């Protein structure tokens, strides 16, 4: 970094995806290093408004712009729309985020898990485990219908979700399905303002909302996602944040 900054007329923008000192307790002591590094830069690209606020409160004075959503790793052109189904899909580590352990077992809403199998995963007639799928296969599976879950029942990771932006959101939106997220998720405003899915404070509340939802209401969410899909497919959010980052210099 010092060498880059020493080059005449070179300006440095740091792209922040995650900050390890915020993610892992064992690395917490390294946070002053990150804060110093961020203050050396001429600009920062951060994953959320909450992250920008946190850094400013910790005396980072470098100009910042917000990424909002990550670009999808793969893209598929779907000819049809997802169907209204009372099911929730979660792509991630069930052992880490404690989803099956806290999912309501007595409701007619199914949970579909995509990811690493764990010995403590709850087994029930409304919980279905699919294992790992490649990105193309996962998007095709998700696109069939239902909702995409960006959630954790682990209090430590829930705190971090206030600041980061999950790739799960992009995958679900790329598949065309509505989102479900907790009320303190960093992307809540994006979801609410664009009618992209459900905000809830518990999995019980989320499943209850799905049980009482009409097909017309579901299709309204799908239509909203369809309207913003060109932005996701054309990598709009990264293009915009790079341009905005240059203009802060």
């Amino acid at each position: 970094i010092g060498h880059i900054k020493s080059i005449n007329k070179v300006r440095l923008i740091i792209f922040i995806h995650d900050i390890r000192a915020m993610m892992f307790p064992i690395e917490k002591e390294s946070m002053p290093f990150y804060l110093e590094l961020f203050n050396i830069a001429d600009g920062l690209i951060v994953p959320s408004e909450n992250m920008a606020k946190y850094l400013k409160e910790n005396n980072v004075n470098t100009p910042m712009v917000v990424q909002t959503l990550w670009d999808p790793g793969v893209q598929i052109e779907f000819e049809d729309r997802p169907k209204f189904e009372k099911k929730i899909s979660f792509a991630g580590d069930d052992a880490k985020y404690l989803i099956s352990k806290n999912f309501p077992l007595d409701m007619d809403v199914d949970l579909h898990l995509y990811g690493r199998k764990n010995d403590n995963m709850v087994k029930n007639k409304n919980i279905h485990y699919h294992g790992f799928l490649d990105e193309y296969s996962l998007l095709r599976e998700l696109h069939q219908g239902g909702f995409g879950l960006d959630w954790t029942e682990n209090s430590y990771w829930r705190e971090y979700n206030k600041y980061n932006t999950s790739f799960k959101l992009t995958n679900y939106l790329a598949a065309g399905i509505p989102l479900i997220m907790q009320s303190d998720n960093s992307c809540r405003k994006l979801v609410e303002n664009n009618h992209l899915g459900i905000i809830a404070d518990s999995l019980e509340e989320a499943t209850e909302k799905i049980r009482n939802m009409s097909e017309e209401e579901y299709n309204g969410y799908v239509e909203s996602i369809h309207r913003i899909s060109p932005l996701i497919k054309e990598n709009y959010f990264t293009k915009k944040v790079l341009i905005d980052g240059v203009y802060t210099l």
Side-chain angles (χ1 to χ4, degrees), residues 35 38-42 44 55-64:
L35 298 177
F38 297 153
N39 269 322
I40 292 173
D42 299 295
L44 298 175
L55 293 177
K56 290 174 184 177
E57 290 173 347
N58 282 273
N59 301 314
V60 174
N61 301 312
T62 305
M64 304 179 203

Side-chain angles (χ1 to χ4, degrees), residues 88 94 98-113 120-128 203-205 207-208 211:
I88 297 173
D94 180 57
L98 307 176
I99 303 301
S100 67
K101 186 178 290 187
N102 291 276
F103 194 78
L105 305 179
D106 56 348
M107 291 190 180
D108 56 346
V109 176
D110 287 351
L111 173 66
H112 291 256
L113 297 169
N120 297 319
M121 188 180 71
V122 174
K123 297 177 176 61
N124 197 65
K125 63 180 181 180
N126 69 331
I127 296 180
H128 312 274
L203 289 171
E204 288 80 5
E205 180 186 356
T207 53
E208 188 64 32
R211 288 183 70 227

